[in-house]
Amino acid sequence: MRVLIVEDEPNLGQQLKSTLEGAGYAIDLATDGEEGHFLGSTENYDAVVLDLGLPEIDGLTVLDRWRKEGKVMPVLVLTARDSWSDKVAGLDAGADDYVAKPFQSEELIARLRALIRRASGNASSELNAGDVRLDTRSGKVTRAGEPVKLTAQEYKLLSYLLHHKGKVVSRTELIEHIYDQDFDRDSNTIEVFVTRIRKKLGQDVITTIRGLGYSLEDPAA
């Protein structure tokens, strides 16, 4: 899953980036509202962490512009702890949730996971297809109850397909959502990861739709 952080405080921005990368997300970091608005308007993100007090363009204006442009990605706003008006204004502008500063990293990650799950129509923290299960809280993957070890990129690809189970996902979409902006993106690596996942979870777990991409469905579907 690919997440945009828009935060102008350097230490907090880098801390958030490191924390979310450690949790398995591909992260882009913008340090002002103008850059944040541009990235959110031109790139595809599964969620955004947006500070409200930004230079150049404030966070509420950025959020309002995204929504007017038709951008529907979940947005988690960062607010001052005692500022209830910021929370109300953020939600009214189109935010999906908020976290008050200072916050615990675990809470932010949990809220972000929940937003991404709900945006893709998944209520549970455990995603599954047949006997393959992925626990978004622990990052553990099992098949028929047996643990399966995946690399970070294999996990990201499987997670994205499980979040969009039953849909055909193109290589381009996978590249856009499992790599950050600065990564050297190569579409051939997607096929490599799919092949590796099939070896670990079974050849039938991911279906190749010729000319379109990949699909992951329940066996009975």
Side-chain angles (χ1 to χ4, degrees):
M1 295 295 169
R2 189 176 173 201
V3 175
L4 171 64
I5 298 171
V6 190
E7 170 58 60
D8 66 306
E9 203 285 304
N11 290 336
L12 179 57
Q14 288 300 324
Q15 178 187 344
L16 285 170
K17 186 175 187 293
S18 297
T19 297
L20 293 180
E21 285 177 339
Y25 296 99
I27 302 299
D28 291 335
L29 174 61
T31 57
D32 62 61
E34 186 173 355
E35 181 186 16
H37 172 254
F38 175 77
L39 288 175
S41 297
T42 58
E43 298 286 336
N44 292 313
Y45 294 101
D46 296 289
V48 177
V49 178
L50 175 68
D51 189 20
L52 295 185
L54 296 169
E56 305 298 336
I57 307 173
D58 68 87
L60 286 177
T61 301
V62 170
L63 179 54
D64 183 61
R65 288 182 181 179
W66 282 337
R67 295 314 190 210
K68 287 179 178 177
E69 292 164 358
K71 304 299 289 186
V72 298
M73 67 282 195
V75 174
L76 176 68
V77 298
L78 304 180
T79 71
R81 175 166 295 280
D82 298 324
S83 181
W84 63 267
S85 60
D86 280 353
K87 300 169 187 176
V88 172
L91 293 171
D92 283 345
D96 298 273
D97 200 357
Y98 66 85
V99 171
K101 297 179 180 180
F103 51 82
Q104 295 295 321
S105 298
E106 292 80 1
E107 179 187 4
L108 184 139
I109 292 172
R111 289 180 179 273
L112 202 56
R113 279 198 306 259
L115 288 181
I116 293 172
R117 287 200 312 268
R118 289 199 294 268
S120 58
N122 295 287
S124 173
S125 61
E126 187 177 85
L127 309 176
N128 67 82
D131 60 0
V132 174
R133 283 173 167 71
L134 183 152
D135 190 327
T136 59
R137 294 168 300 181
S138 65
K140 293 181 179 178
V141 176
T142 61
R143 182 171 191 185
E146 295 296 320
V148 178
K149 188 174 182 179
L150 300 180
T151 66
Q153 296 295 357
E154 290 165 3
Y155 177 90
K156 290 177 182 179
L157 191 150
L158 179 65
S159 175
Y160 191 83
L161 290 176
L162 280 169
H163 273 89
H164 299 83
K165 185 171 68 174
K167 300 177 181 178
V168 178
V169 181
S170 69
R171 286 189 184 184
T172 300
E173 183 176 345
L174 285 169
I175 290 169
E176 289 178 343
H177 287 270
I178 70 173
Y179 296 131
D180 60 53
Q181 185 185 32
D182 296 328
F183 196 90
D184 183 15
R185 302 172 179 183
D186 182 355
S187 63
N188 292 327
T189 61
I190 298 297
E191 187 173 345
V192 172
F193 293 145
V194 169
T195 299
R196 291 177 181 174
I197 291 170
R198 284 172 173 157
K199 287 181 179 179
K200 295 177 180 181
L201 296 176
Q203 292 299 316
D204 58 345
V205 68
I206 299 174
T207 302
T208 298
I209 311 298
R210 187 175 298 276
L212 296 176
Y214 302 97
S215 179
L216 192 153
E217 303 184 27
D218 285 314

